[in-house]
mmCIF file of all heavy atoms in Angstrom:
data_model
loop_
_atom_site.group_PDB
_atom_site.id
_atom_site.type_symbol
_atom_site.label_atom_id
_atom_site.label_comp_id
_atom_site.label_asym_id
_atom_site.label_seq_id
_atom_site.Cartn_x
_atom_site.Cartn_y
_atom_site.Cartn_z
ATOM 1 N N SER A 13 12.152 -3.003 19.109
ATOM 2 C CA SER A 13 12.333 -1.610 18.742
ATOM 3 C C SER A 13 11.662 -1.322 17.416
ATOM 4 O O SER A 13 11.329 -2.228 16.660
ATOM 5 C CB SER A 13 13.829 -1.282 18.657
ATOM 6 O OG SER A 13 14.438 -2.106 17.690
ATOM 7 N N ALA A 14 11.487 -0.040 17.112
ATOM 8 C CA ALA A 14 10.835 0.357 15.862
ATOM 9 C C ALA A 14 11.647 -0.141 14.680
ATOM 10 O O ALA A 14 12.853 -0.011 14.642
ATOM 11 C CB ALA A 14 10.699 1.875 15.809
ATOM 12 N N GLY A 15 10.965 -0.716 13.682
ATOM 13 C CA GLY A 15 11.643 -1.207 12.477
ATOM 14 C C GLY A 15 11.896 -2.692 12.498
ATOM 15 O O GLY A 15 12.083 -3.299 11.461
ATOM 16 N N SER A 16 11.948 -3.328 13.680
ATOM 17 C CA SER A 16 12.154 -4.767 13.724
ATOM 18 C C SER A 16 10.796 -5.449 13.717
ATOM 19 O O SER A 16 9.805 -4.893 14.166
ATOM 20 C CB SER A 16 12.930 -5.163 14.987
ATOM 21 O OG SER A 16 12.170 -4.856 16.140
ATOM 22 N N SER A 17 10.763 -6.699 13.179
ATOM 23 C CA SER A 17 9.471 -7.374 13.068
ATOM 24 C C SER A 17 9.572 -8.866 13.332
ATOM 25 O O SER A 17 9.175 -9.669 12.507
ATOM 26 C CB SER A 17 8.870 -7.142 11.675
ATOM 27 O OG SER A 17 9.780 -7.583 10.679
ATOM 28 N N PRO A 18 10.171 -9.278 14.471
ATOM 29 C CA PRO A 18 10.209 -10.714 14.752
ATOM 30 C C PRO A 18 8.817 -11.250 15.013
ATOM 31 O O PRO A 18 8.057 -10.707 15.808
ATOM 32 C CB PRO A 18 11.085 -10.796 16.006
ATOM 33 C CG PRO A 18 10.950 -9.461 16.668
ATOM 34 C CD PRO A 18 10.772 -8.476 15.547
ATOM 35 N N GLY A 19 8.455 -12.340 14.323
ATOM 36 C CA GLY A 19 7.163 -12.955 14.541
ATOM 37 C C GLY A 19 6.000 -12.233 13.890
ATOM 38 O O GLY A 19 4.852 -12.608 14.103
ATOM 39 N N VAL A 20 6.248 -11.196 13.115
ATOM 40 C CA VAL A 20 5.178 -10.448 12.465
ATOM 41 C C VAL A 20 4.997 -10.969 11.045
ATOM 42 O O VAL A 20 5.946 -11.025 10.269
ATOM 43 C CB VAL A 20 5.484 -8.941 12.446
ATOM 44 C CG1 VAL A 20 4.391 -8.184 11.712
ATOM 45 C CG2 VAL A 20 5.624 -8.412 13.871
ATOM 46 N N ALA A 21 3.774 -11.367 10.701
ATOM 47 C CA ALA A 21 3.511 -11.919 9.377
ATOM 48 C C ALA A 21 3.627 -10.836 8.314
ATOM 49 O O ALA A 21 3.166 -9.710 8.491
ATOM 50 C CB ALA A 21 2.122 -12.551 9.340
ATOM 51 N N ALA A 22 4.265 -11.213 7.188
ATOM 52 C CA ALA A 22 4.415 -10.272 6.076
ATOM 53 C C ALA A 22 3.242 -10.328 5.122
ATOM 54 O O ALA A 22 3.135 -9.509 4.212
ATOM 55 C CB ALA A 22 5.714 -10.567 5.326
ATOM 56 N N GLY A 23 2.338 -11.297 5.308
ATOM 57 C CA GLY A 23 1.178 -11.423 4.428
ATOM 58 C C GLY A 23 0.143 -12.327 5.060
ATOM 59 O O GLY A 23 0.383 -12.948 6.105
ATOM 60 N N GLN A 24 -1.012 -12.418 4.446
ATOM 61 C CA GLN A 24 -2.099 -13.239 4.962
ATOM 62 C C GLN A 24 -2.782 -13.948 3.797
ATOM 63 O O GLN A 24 -3.098 -13.328 2.787
ATOM 64 C CB GLN A 24 -3.114 -12.379 5.715
ATOM 65 C CG GLN A 24 -4.315 -13.147 6.248
ATOM 66 C CD GLN A 24 -5.242 -12.270 7.061
ATOM 67 O OE1 GLN A 24 -4.807 -11.554 7.959
ATOM 68 N NE2 GLN A 24 -6.532 -12.315 6.743
ATOM 69 N N ALA A 25 -2.978 -15.269 3.954
ATOM 70 C CA ALA A 25 -3.608 -16.065 2.905
ATOM 71 C C ALA A 25 -4.779 -16.840 3.490
ATOM 72 O O ALA A 25 -4.773 -17.220 4.664
ATOM 73 C CB ALA A 25 -2.603 -17.030 2.284
ATOM 74 N N SER A 26 -5.781 -17.071 2.672
ATOM 75 C CA SER A 26 -6.954 -17.848 3.043
ATOM 76 C C SER A 26 -7.457 -18.536 1.783
ATOM 77 O O SER A 26 -7.019 -18.198 0.666
ATOM 78 C CB SER A 26 -8.033 -16.944 3.651
ATOM 79 O OG SER A 26 -8.439 -15.952 2.717
ATOM 80 N N PRO A 27 -8.346 -19.522 1.888
ATOM 81 C CA PRO A 27 -8.845 -20.188 0.682
ATOM 82 C C PRO A 27 -9.413 -19.187 -0.318
ATOM 83 O O PRO A 27 -10.293 -18.396 -0.005
ATOM 84 C CB PRO A 27 -9.934 -21.113 1.230
ATOM 85 C CG PRO A 27 -9.494 -21.410 2.629
ATOM 86 C CD PRO A 27 -8.873 -20.145 3.120
ATOM 87 N N GLY A 28 -8.875 -19.196 -1.533
ATOM 88 C CA GLY A 28 -9.301 -18.269 -2.563
ATOM 89 C C GLY A 28 -8.560 -16.951 -2.555
ATOM 90 O O GLY A 28 -8.738 -16.144 -3.475
ATOM 91 N N SER A 29 -7.713 -16.692 -1.553
ATOM 92 C CA SER A 29 -6.972 -15.424 -1.463
ATOM 93 C C SER A 29 -5.507 -15.717 -1.159
ATOM 94 O O SER A 29 -5.105 -15.780 0.010
ATOM 95 C CB SER A 29 -7.567 -14.511 -0.383
ATOM 96 O OG SER A 29 -8.906 -14.187 -0.674
ATOM 97 N N PRO A 30 -4.674 -15.932 -2.194
ATOM 98 C CA PRO A 30 -3.248 -16.187 -1.962
ATOM 99 C C PRO A 30 -2.531 -14.922 -1.506
ATOM 100 O O PRO A 30 -3.069 -13.817 -1.603
ATOM 101 C CB PRO A 30 -2.743 -16.653 -3.334
ATOM 102 C CG PRO A 30 -3.700 -16.033 -4.310
ATOM 103 C CD PRO A 30 -5.035 -15.984 -3.622
ATOM 104 N N ALA A 31 -1.335 -15.090 -1.006
ATOM 105 C CA ALA A 31 -0.510 -13.966 -0.552
ATOM 106 C C ALA A 31 0.863 -14.073 -1.186
ATOM 107 O O ALA A 31 1.416 -15.169 -1.320
ATOM 108 C CB ALA A 31 -0.385 -13.954 0.967
ATOM 109 N N THR A 32 1.424 -12.934 -1.587
ATOM 110 C CA THR A 32 2.785 -12.874 -2.132
ATOM 111 C C THR A 32 3.668 -12.121 -1.152
ATOM 112 O O THR A 32 3.348 -10.994 -0.757
ATOM 113 C CB THR A 32 2.805 -12.179 -3.497
ATOM 114 O OG1 THR A 32 1.969 -12.908 -4.411
ATOM 115 C CG2 THR A 32 4.218 -12.131 -4.060
ATOM 116 N N VAL A 33 4.774 -12.740 -0.741
ATOM 117 C CA VAL A 33 5.674 -12.142 0.240
ATOM 118 C C VAL A 33 7.096 -12.152 -0.300
ATOM 119 O O VAL A 33 7.453 -12.964 -1.156
ATOM 120 C CB VAL A 33 5.629 -12.905 1.581
ATOM 121 C CG1 VAL A 33 4.260 -12.762 2.237
ATOM 122 C CG2 VAL A 33 5.984 -14.373 1.387
ATOM 123 N N SER A 34 7.900 -11.227 0.196
ATOM 124 C CA SER A 34 9.317 -11.161 -0.154
ATOM 125 C C SER A 34 10.110 -11.998 0.848
ATOM 126 O O SER A 34 9.951 -11.837 2.056
ATOM 127 C CB SER A 34 9.809 -9.711 -0.146
ATOM 128 O OG SER A 34 9.133 -8.946 -1.130
ATOM 129 N N VAL A 35 10.969 -12.875 0.318
ATOM 130 C CA VAL A 35 11.788 -13.738 1.162
ATOM 131 C C VAL A 35 13.246 -13.300 1.007
ATOM 132 O O VAL A 35 13.785 -13.345 -0.094
ATOM 133 C CB VAL A 35 11.642 -15.218 0.759
ATOM 134 C CG1 VAL A 35 12.389 -16.106 1.741
ATOM 135 C CG2 VAL A 35 10.172 -15.607 0.695
ATOM 136 N N PRO A 36 13.906 -12.833 2.078
ATOM 137 C CA PRO A 36 15.293 -12.366 1.953
ATOM 138 C C PRO A 36 16.242 -13.522 1.667
ATOM 139 O O PRO A 36 15.920 -14.691 1.933
ATOM 140 C CB PRO A 36 15.569 -11.745 3.330
ATOM 141 C CG PRO A 36 14.639 -12.445 4.261
ATOM 142 C CD PRO A 36 13.405 -12.736 3.461
#
């Protein structure tokens, strides 16, 4: 349903490009 995000990545990282994500 709208608003839920199972399995959806909260960020994307690659060599030289880190990602910052919120962890509940």
